[in-house]
C-alpha cells in the first residue's frame, strides 16, 4: 500500500449502511471492492446504488477473496464478535459499528483477536465526531471554559425510529445500548473516566419491549458530574431528532448546544454565538445532516487510521469502558443503587 490508496469491504447492507457507503464512495483514495449481506437482495441493492463490483452473502468468502485493507462491519450487535474475530485474520483495520459488543467478555475477545493478529480495531462511534462536539472540544482544549465541573448530554425526541429500525422496538435492552453508549462516550470524551454511576430507566411507549427512556448521573474521577438523558417519547415541536443537546460548564464559562445546532459560549462578560452547524452533505438532508456529516468525519478519521496517520478514536479498548458504563447503568437501574465502576463486575 505505497500510494496510500485503500481497498475496503462492507459487511451488512441494512438501514444505516447507506450512510457508510455514501461517505466511503466520496472519500479520495478509498474503494469499496465488495459488499456482503446474508440477504442477497440487500447486498445487490447496495452494490447497484453505489457501483460496487462484487457482492457476497458469506463474509468468510469475501474476506478470503478480496484481501482488503479494511473491513467495515455495519451489522447489528449480535454478529459483531464473530465478524470482528473473522475479519481480524484478514485485514489490518477493522471498523465495527456500535454497540461494539453485548458483553464485556465479547468485547475483550474482539480486542484480543485484533491484538493477536496485529490489526487495529476502531469503533464507529460518530457522536463525538459531530461538528458541534468537535468545535466544543477544541474550545475546551483552548481553555475557554477553564476547569470543567458539569455537563449534560440530552437526546429526547418522538421521531418514529421504529420504521427504519424495527428491531429497536423488540430488544430488551434498548435506549442505553442504542443512544446511551453515544452519550456516555461524550461524557468520557469531555470529562474523563467515571468513578460512580446511577441510573433510572422508563418504559413509556407501550409498543416497545425495553426501556425507551433513561436518566443517568455520572461522577467523574475529576469530581465533575454529568447527566446523560434520553427519551424516545418526548413531545417537542419541532422535533429535535437526531440532535443531542448539551451543556458543559467550567469555572470560566459555559457552552450550551441548543436545538438547530445553536452553540453559545457564556462567560462573565456575556454570551457569544458560535457557528457549529454541520454541512448538509450533497447526498443527505434534514433531519439527518448532523449524523451524515459525522459519518463523513468519522470515516475520514478511520481512513487516516488505516493509513497509519492517526490513532483510533475510539479504539476497541477505549470503547470497552463506554460499554462498561452502559452495562453498569442497567445494573444501577435494576438495583436502584449507585455503582462504583472500580468495583463493578
Ligand atoms: P439493519 O438490521 O437494518 O442492517 C443490518 C444488516 O446486517 C442486515 O441487512 C443483515 O442481513 C446484515 N447481517 C447480519 N449479520 C450478518 C452477517 N453475519 N453477515 C452479513 N450480513 C449480516 O441494522 P441497521 O439499522 O443498519 O444497524 C446496523 C448497526 O448500526 C447497529 O449496530 C446499529 O446500532 C448501528 N447504528 C448506528 C448509528 C449511528 O449513529 N452510529 C445509527 C443507526 C444504527
Amino acid at each position: 500500500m505505497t500510494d496510500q490508496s485503500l481497498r475496503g469491504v462492507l459487511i451488512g447492507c441494512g438501514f444505516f449502511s447507506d450512510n457508510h457507503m455514501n461517505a466511503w464512495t466520496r472519500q479520495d483514495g478509498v474503494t469499496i471492492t465488495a459488499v456482503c449481506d446474508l440477504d442477497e437482495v440487500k447486498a445487490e441493492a447496495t452494490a447497484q446504488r453505489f457501483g460496487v463490483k462484487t457482492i457476497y452473502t458469506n463474509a468468510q468468502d469475501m474476506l478470503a477473496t478480496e484481501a482488503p485493507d479494511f473491513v467495515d462491519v455495519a451489522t447489528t450487535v449480535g454478529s459483531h464478535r464473530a465478524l470482528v474475530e473473522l475479519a481480524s485474520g484478514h485485514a489490518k483495520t477493522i471498523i465495527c459499528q456500535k454497540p461494539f459488543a453485548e458483553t464485556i467478555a465479547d468485547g475483550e475477545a474482539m480486542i484480543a483477536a485484533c491484538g493477536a493478529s496485529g490489526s487495529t480495531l476502531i469503533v464507529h462511534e460518530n457522536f463525538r465526531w459531530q461538528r458541534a462536539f468537535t468545535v466544543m472540544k477544541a474550545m475546551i482544549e483552548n481553555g475557554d471554559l477553564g476547569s470543567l465541573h458539569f455537563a449534560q448530554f440530552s437526546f429526547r425526541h418522538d421521531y418514529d425510529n421504529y420504521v427504519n429500525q424495527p428491531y429497536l422496538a423488540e430488544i430488551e435492552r434498548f435506549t442505553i445500548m442504542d443512544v446511551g453508549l453515544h452519550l456516555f462516550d461524550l461524557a468520557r470524551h469531555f470529562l474523563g473516566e467515571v468513578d460512580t454511576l446511577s441510573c433510572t430507566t422508563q418504559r413509556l411507549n407501550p409498543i416497545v419491549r425495553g426501556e425507551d427512556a433513561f436518566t443517568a448521573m455520572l461522577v467523574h474521577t475529576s469530581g465533575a458530574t454529568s447527566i446523560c438523558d434520553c427519551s424516545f417519547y418526548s413531545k417537542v415541536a419541532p422535533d429535535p431528532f437526531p440532535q443531542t443537546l448539551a451543556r458543559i460548564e467550567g469555572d470560566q464559562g459555559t457552552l450550551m448546544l441548543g436545538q438547530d445546532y445553536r452553540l453559545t459560549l457564556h462567560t462573565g462578560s456575556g454570551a457569544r454565538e458560535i457557528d457549529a452547524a454541520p454541512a448538509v452533505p450533497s447526498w443527505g438532508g434534514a433531519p439527518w445532516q448532523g449524523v451524515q456529516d459525522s459519518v463523513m468525519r468519522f470515516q475520514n478519521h478511520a481512513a487516516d487510521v488505516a493509513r497509519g496517520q492517526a490513532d483510533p478514536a475510539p479504539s476497541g479498548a477505549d470503547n470497552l469502558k463506554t460499554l462498561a458504563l452502559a452495562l453498569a447503568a442497567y445494573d444501577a437501574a435494576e438495583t436502584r443503587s449507585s455503582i462504583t465502576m472500580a468495583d463493578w463486575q
Side-chain angles (χ1 to χ4, degrees):
M1 200 179 62
T2 50
D3 61 354
Q4 298 285 289
S5 65
L6 296 171
R7 297 171 69 259
V9 294
L10 173 89
I11 307 176
C13 300
F15 161 66
F16 202 70
S17 69
D18 259 27
N19 292 316
H20 292 226
M21 288 303 295
N22 269 304
W24 286 133
T25 51
R26 284 166 178 82
Q27 263 181 44
D28 289 341
V30 175
T31 306
I32 298 296
T33 65
V35 296
C36 171
D37 199 291
L38 296 174
D39 182 338
E40 188 173 1
V41 174
K42 284 189 180 179
E44 184 57 44
T46 296
Q48 285 202 3
R49 259 199 312 286
F50 296 101
V52 177
K53 286 200 186 112
T54 318
I55 67 161
Y56 295 82
T57 54
N58 180 303
Q60 163 84 57
D61 292 347
M62 175 170 76
L63 294 168
T65 310
E66 300 292 324
D69 297 312
F70 72 86
V71 180
D72 188 12
V73 177
T75 61
T76 44
V77 66
S79 54
H80 286 178
R81 176 173 173 175
L83 289 171
V84 168
E85 286 179 342
L86 172 67
S88 67
H90 291 274
K92 282 283 171 217
T93 304
I94 320 293
I95 307 160
C96 182
Q97 254 294 353
K98 51 59 64 175
F100 142 62
E102 282 175 310
T103 64
I104 296 295
D106 281 353
E108 284 174 343
M110 293 155 74
I111 292 165
C114 291
S117 62
S119 50
T120 300
L121 177 59
I122 173 167
V123 178
H124 186 128
E125 172 45 74
N126 52 328
F127 274 34
R128 63 161 80 174
W129 289 94
Q130 290 180 14
R131 177 155 187 253
F133 291 119
T134 65
V135 170
M136 291 163 80
K137 184 74 174 171
M139 291 177 70
I140 288 165
E141 283 177 351
N142 189 44
D144 292 4
L145 298 194
S147 175
L148 305 185
H149 55 250
F150 175 80
Q152 178 167 17
F153 302 99
S154 189
F155 189 95
R156 312 186 75 82
H157 68 88
D158 193 35
Y159 185 84
D160 185 3
N161 264 96
Y162 312 109
V163 175
N164 292 323
Q165 295 171 273
Y167 57 87
L168 291 179
E170 290 151 24
I171 50 182
E172 198 174 325
R173 293 188 154 190
F174 172 12
T175 48
I176 295 177
M177 286 301 268
D178 188 53
V179 172
L181 287 168
H182 292 302
L183 303 184
F184 292 153
D185 182 69
L186 287 172
R188 291 183 54 242
H189 187 55
F190 283 101
L191 295 179
E193 297 310 334
V194 174
D195 183 13
T196 61
L197 171 153
S198 51
C199 182
T200 301
T201 59
Q202 294 164 295
R203 181 171 166 269
L204 303 172
N205 186 338
I207 71 159
V208 303
R209 179 166 169 223
E211 84 291 352
D212 55 354
F214 73 86
T215 309
M217 189 182 106
L218 283 54
V219 181
H220 296 259
T221 53
S222 67
T225 55
S226 62
I227 303 284
C228 296
D229 62 283
C230 167
S231 157
F232 278 47
Y233 204 57
S234 294
K235 321 293 173 196
V236 181
D239 195 306
F241 180 86
Q243 300 170 44
T244 303
L245 310 189
R247 175 183 182 116
I248 303 180
E249 292 185 12
D251 57 8
Q252 302 297 312
T254 298
L255 273 171
M256 289 189 196
L257 178 62
Q259 200 155 331
D260 298 327
Y261 309 99
R262 285 193 317 274
L263 180 62
T264 317
L265 173 65
H266 298 259
T267 62
S269 53
R272 175 166 68 87
E273 292 255 342
I274 293 130
D275 173 28
V280 182
S282 56
W283 45 275
W288 291 100
Q289 68 270 31
V291 172
Q292 291 160 337
D293 179 65
S294 72
V295 171
M296 296 276 291
R297 288 169 190 274
F298 169 78
Q299 291 187 186
N300 275 328
H301 166 71
D304 287 345
V305 172
R307 293 185 176 106
Q309 295 166 354
D311 293 328
S315 66
D318 182 276
N319 202 245
L320 196 65
K321 295 180 195 165
T322 299
L323 178 64
L325 292 179
L327 297 175
Y330 284 105
D331 290 349
E334 204 176 301
T335 57
R336 294 170 178 257
S337 61
S338 169
I339 290 193
T340 301
M341 290 310 295
D343 300 337
W344 182 74
Q345 278 221 329

